[in-house]
């Protein structure tokens, strides 16, 4: 039977210890901040022991959260881009609860950290967004699920029943026609000769900034980057092949129109000391940093609240407004699912109306 005792910390805050003793089984114990959690754990643990589902005796009480995270990171094979996000999130969880045994991690424990993440002030001077906090939780949830399904360290993930913060709607900022014309002119007049072709290429293809900046002429370099996005420009095939992307899948990007012509012109006079399409002046074997020329062009064009990544949103928005389906937009941008492109659905309402109208005309002859 379960024995629950109320205790008091030095600062006067109460907590509860639970001990379960069942004949034929090793005693189980845990500590909780709330009596309701202590009772819930006692009931579920007793039931799990009687039904042969209780793994905490053999595994969960042997491993800490830090050990779980370390094993996951060493075996997950994260890319540099993934590590910048997932690794960052997990290191934060490690700082907060890494010392705890898996058997002692409760929903209440994780909720306290979640609330702390939501109330912290970040570099922008504002509180961390619910979307970002949700990503922290998703990263740890994946580790818990792996510990449950693949390692048998836990019988269930304590993250499963935590109330998730409501994610904000995806930011969609794209250039209207007037803004696009002003910014295009400002980029063309820039003192950096690479800003204009980089901007046009990004706008024409929807490639991410890293994908655009890490392009090589003609063929893969002798020592291609092992981490981060990179691709190769094939002028004779009118395309770009992205060999490494954010989602680790190869992608073919068609080249046409002005973007194609600009790359052809650049190819005729390209530097011979580097295979990069957009090399740095100081170190031609590294991509150029266009941050300052970009900010200057933005200021000259009087464009506000717009980032380089929003060029990608602009491409997707123009595709939607010109009749592309969500599946086609996802394919162009390299998204595995339609979830990320749902934000552009309202922009293609006219196209959807046209599709329905054409179907009805074919079925009923326009009656």
């Amino acid at each position: 039977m379960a024995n629950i005792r109320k205790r008091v910390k030095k600062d006067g805050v109460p907590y509860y210890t639970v001990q379960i003793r069942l004949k034929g089984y090793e005693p189980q114990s845990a500590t909780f901040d709330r009596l309701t959690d202590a009772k819930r754990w006692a009931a579920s643990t007793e039931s799990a022991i009687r039904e042969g589902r209780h793994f905490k005796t053999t595994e969960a009480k042997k491993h800490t959260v830090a050990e779980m995270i370390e094993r996951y990171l060493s075996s997950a094979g994260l890319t540099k881009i993934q590590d910048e996000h997932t690794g960052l999130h997990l290191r934060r969880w490690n700082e907060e609860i890494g010392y705890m045994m898996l058997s002692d991690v409760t929903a209440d424990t994780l909720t306290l950290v979640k609330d702390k993440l939501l109330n912290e002030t970040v570099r922008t001077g504002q509180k961390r967004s619910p979307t970002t906090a949700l990503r922290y939780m998703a990263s740890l949830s994946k580790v818990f699920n792996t510990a449950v399904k693949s390692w048998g360290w836990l019988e269930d993930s304590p993250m499963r029943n935590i109330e998730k913060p409501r994610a904000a709607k995806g930011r969609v900022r794209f250039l209207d026609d007037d803004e696009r014309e002003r910014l295009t002119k400002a980029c063309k007049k820039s003192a950096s000769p690479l800003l204009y072709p980089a901007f046009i290429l990004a706008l024409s293809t929807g490639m991410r900034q890293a994908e655009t900046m890490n392009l090589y002429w003609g063929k893969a370099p002798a020592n291609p980057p092992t981490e981060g996005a990179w691709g190769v420009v094939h002028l004779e095939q009118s395309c770009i092949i992205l060999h490494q992307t954010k989602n680790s899948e190869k992608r073919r990007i068609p080249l046409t129109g002005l973007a194609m012509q600009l790359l052809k012109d650049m190819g005729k006079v390209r530097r011979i000391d580097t295979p990069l399409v957009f090399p740095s002046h100081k170190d031609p074997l590294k991509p150029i940093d266009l941050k300052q020329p970009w900010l200057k062009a933005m200021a000259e064009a009087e464009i506000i609240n717009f980032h380089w990544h929003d060029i990608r949103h602009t491409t997707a928005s123009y595709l939607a407004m010109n009749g592309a389906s969500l599946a086609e937009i996802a394919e162009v941008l390299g998204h595995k699912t339609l979830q990320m492109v749902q934000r552009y659905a309202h922009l293609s309402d006219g196209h959807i109306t046209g599709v329905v109208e054409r179907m009805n005309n074919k079925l009923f002859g326009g009656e």
Side-chain angles (χ1 to χ4, degrees), residues 106-122:
T106 65
D108 186 54
T109 304
L110 300 176
T111 298
L112 290 174
V113 179
K114 177 197 73 174
D115 293 341
K116 184 176 181 179
L117 290 169
L118 286 169
N119 289 301
E120 282 181 341
T121 300
V122 294

Side-chain angles (χ1 to χ4, degrees), residues 145-164:
N145 289 337
T146 301
V148 171
K149 297 176 182 178
S150 300
W151 308 336
W153 284 10
L154 288 161
E155 59 186 87
D156 197 7
S157 168
M159 185 70 80
R160 189 163 61 89
N161 296 319
I162 295 179
E163 183 178 354
K164 306 297 190 297

Side-chain angles (χ1 to χ4, degrees), residues 72-119:
Y72 178 83
L73 288 174
S74 64
S75 61
L78 302 179
T79 65
K80 181 179 180 180
I81 295 175
Q82 291 171 329
D83 185 64
E84 289 176 356
H85 297 89
T86 301
L88 173 67
H89 301 161
L90 295 181
R91 283 187 282 275
R92 175 59 188 275
W93 284 107
N94 195 25
E95 292 174 4
E96 296 288 345
I97 59 172
Y99 65 93
M100 297 184 69
M101 303 302 296
L102 293 178
S103 56
D104 294 335
V105 178
T106 65
D108 186 54
T109 304
L110 300 176
T111 298
L112 290 174
V113 179
K114 177 197 73 174
D115 293 341
K116 184 176 181 179
L117 290 169
L118 286 169
N119 289 301

Side-chain angles (χ1 to χ4, degrees), residues 17-229:
T17 60
V18 187
Q19 187 173 58
I20 297 176
R21 290 182 178 275
L22 290 176
K23 188 175 181 180
Y25 297 93
E26 183 179 341
Q28 304 296 310
S29 60
T31 302
F32 300 88
D33 293 328
R34 300 190 305 180
L35 180 59
T36 53
D37 290 334
K39 291 180 177 179
R40 187 183 299 114
W41 179 84
S44 63
T45 302
E46 282 188 355
S47 176
I49 291 175
R50 289 192 173 95
E51 295 174 13
R53 297 182 289 104
H54 192 68
F55 300 125
K56 290 187 176 181
T57 299
T58 57
E59 295 299 336
K61 299 189 84 170
K62 292 181 181 179
H63 304 287
T64 64
V65 173
E67 290 172 338
M68 178 182 69
I69 290 175
E70 182 180 1
R71 177 173 177 179
Y72 178 83
L73 288 174
S74 64
S75 61
L78 302 179
T79 65
K80 181 179 180 180
I81 295 175
Q82 291 171 329
D83 185 64
E84 289 176 356
H85 297 89
T86 301
L88 173 67
H89 301 161
L90 295 181
R91 283 187 282 275
R92 175 59 188 275
W93 284 107
N94 195 25
E95 292 174 4
E96 296 288 345
I97 59 172
Y99 65 93
M100 297 184 69
M101 303 302 296
L102 293 178
S103 56
D104 294 335
V105 178
T106 65
D108 186 54
T109 304
L110 300 176
T111 298
L112 290 174
V113 179
K114 177 197 73 174
D115 293 341
K116 184 176 181 179
L117 290 169
L118 286 169
N119 289 301
E120 282 181 341
T121 300
V122 294
R123 286 181 299 176
T124 60
Q126 300 176 329
K127 289 185 178 180
R128 182 177 283 106
S129 72
T131 301
T132 303
L134 191 60
R135 289 171 182 158
Y136 275 82
M137 296 173 68
S139 294
L140 185 63
S141 180
K142 189 171 184 179
V143 180
F144 272 126
N145 289 337
T146 301
V148 171
K149 297 176 182 178
S150 300
W151 308 336
W153 284 10
L154 288 161
E155 59 186 87
D156 197 7
S157 168
M159 185 70 80
R160 189 163 61 89
N161 296 319
I162 295 179
E163 183 178 354
K164 306 297 190 297
R166 186 180 296 275
K169 292 184 178 180
R171 180 181 186 274
V172 180
R173 167 68 166 100
F174 63 93
L175 299 169
D176 60 33
D177 291 340
D178 183 57
E179 287 179 320
R180 187 189 72 250
E181 290 179 6
R182 298 202 314 266
L183 186 53
T184 299
K185 290 179 181 178
C187 289
K188 195 170 185 178
K189 291 166 53 180
S190 173
S192 172
L194 295 181
L195 177 61
Y196 176 62
F199 171 70
I200 295 299
L201 182 60
L203 186 60
S204 300
T205 63
M207 289 192 297
R208 298 179 176 87
Q209 185 174 14
E211 295 169 347
T212 304
M213 292 297 108
N214 290 280
L215 290 176
Y216 295 86
W217 291 109
K219 61 180 181 180
N223 298 304
T226 56
E227 297 177 330

